[in-house]
Amino acid sequence: MSDDPTDVRAFFAARAADWDSRFPDDAPAYAAAVADLGLRPGDAVLDAGCGTGRALPPLRTAVGPSGTVIGADLTPEMLAEAVRAGRRDPRGAGALLLADVARLPLRDGALDAVFGAGLVSHLADPVAGLRELARVVRPGGRLALFHPIGRAALAARHGRRLTPDDLRAEPRLRPVLAEAGWRLVSYVDEDARYLALAVRED
């Protein structure tokens, strides 16, 4: 699909109402990826491109009552589904933001970490988008680029073949992250899991 923000918004708007029912078994994979992000109590974390907010509950558990979890998404319909699903923070310690992750309304270094599920392939300019995520994270902060299934399984689901120019492939992703201010520290691409972990450089 296109990575143009207007096309991305239209694609997800049309699918928001039944998004969660299409992927009912993903919760354990989200929880495991959040655990690998290494959040601590009191941390501030962004779920970038949060969609219906499936990562928000495990993120809140990880940062505890003193932490902050913000969800940002380009698509109002997805955020509305997050609210309907009860994934808005009941304590008011975080927010759901209607925002393009390439232009976040957050100050420099405001966060300890970013979680992005299915995000990187939808960035119109991957380096610029990842650089914006680096801007809002403190030096030494962490980034998780996640998908509940690996690249090969996802390509098969969509009737495609893997190609060498796939941005999520390690040889392509590592230099893109580096150019954006991140250092790739861990990479897993298996049928049942995709998780790239990076650290914000000083």
Side-chain angles (χ1 to χ4, degrees), residues 124-199:
D125 182 335
V127 171
L130 291 166
R131 187 178 291 132
E132 173 68 353
L133 296 180
R135 179 188 69 79
V136 299
V137 173
R138 63 170 174 77
R142 298 167 307 286
L143 168 69
L145 298 175
F146 163 75
H147 200 281
I149 59 175
R151 293 186 310 119
L154 184 62
R157 176 186 284 176
H158 294 296
R160 297 190 320 257
R161 291 178 183 235
L162 286 180
T163 60
D165 64 344
D166 182 356
L167 176 60
R168 292 170 305 134
E170 183 176 5
R172 282 227 45 217
L173 183 63
R174 185 180 293 274
V176 168
L177 284 167
E179 188 176 349
W182 298 97
R183 176 171 51 88
L184 185 66
V185 296
S186 175
Y187 182 90
V188 176
D189 181 16
E190 302 167 344
D191 279 352
R193 183 179 214 219
Y194 178 91
L195 183 65
L197 296 173
V199 172

Side-chain angles (χ1 to χ4, degrees), residues 51-71:
T52 60
R54 289 181 292 171
L56 296 175
L59 288 169
R60 286 195 195 102
T61 298
V63 302
S66 60
T68 301
V69 177
I70 299 167

Side-chain angles (χ1 to χ4, degrees), residues 46-103:
L46 171 70
D47 184 359
C50 67
T52 60
R54 289 181 292 171
L56 296 175
L59 288 169
R60 286 195 195 102
T61 298
V63 302
S66 60
T68 301
V69 177
I70 299 167
D73 201 274
L74 189 65
T75 307
E77 292 84 355
M78 283 293 210
L79 293 175
E81 288 302 317
V83 172
R84 265 193 281 280
R87 294 175 181 143
R88 176 186 279 167
D89 190 341
R91 304 168 299 126
L96 290 176
L97 302 177
L98 179 62
D100 186 339
V101 300
R103 292 182 297 279

Side-chain angles (χ1 to χ4, degrees), residues 98-120:
L98 179 62
D100 186 339
V101 300
R103 292 182 297 279
L104 290 164
L106 299 170
R107 72 179 189 278
D108 294 0
L111 305 171
D112 298 290
V114 174
F115 184 88
L119 174 71
V120 71

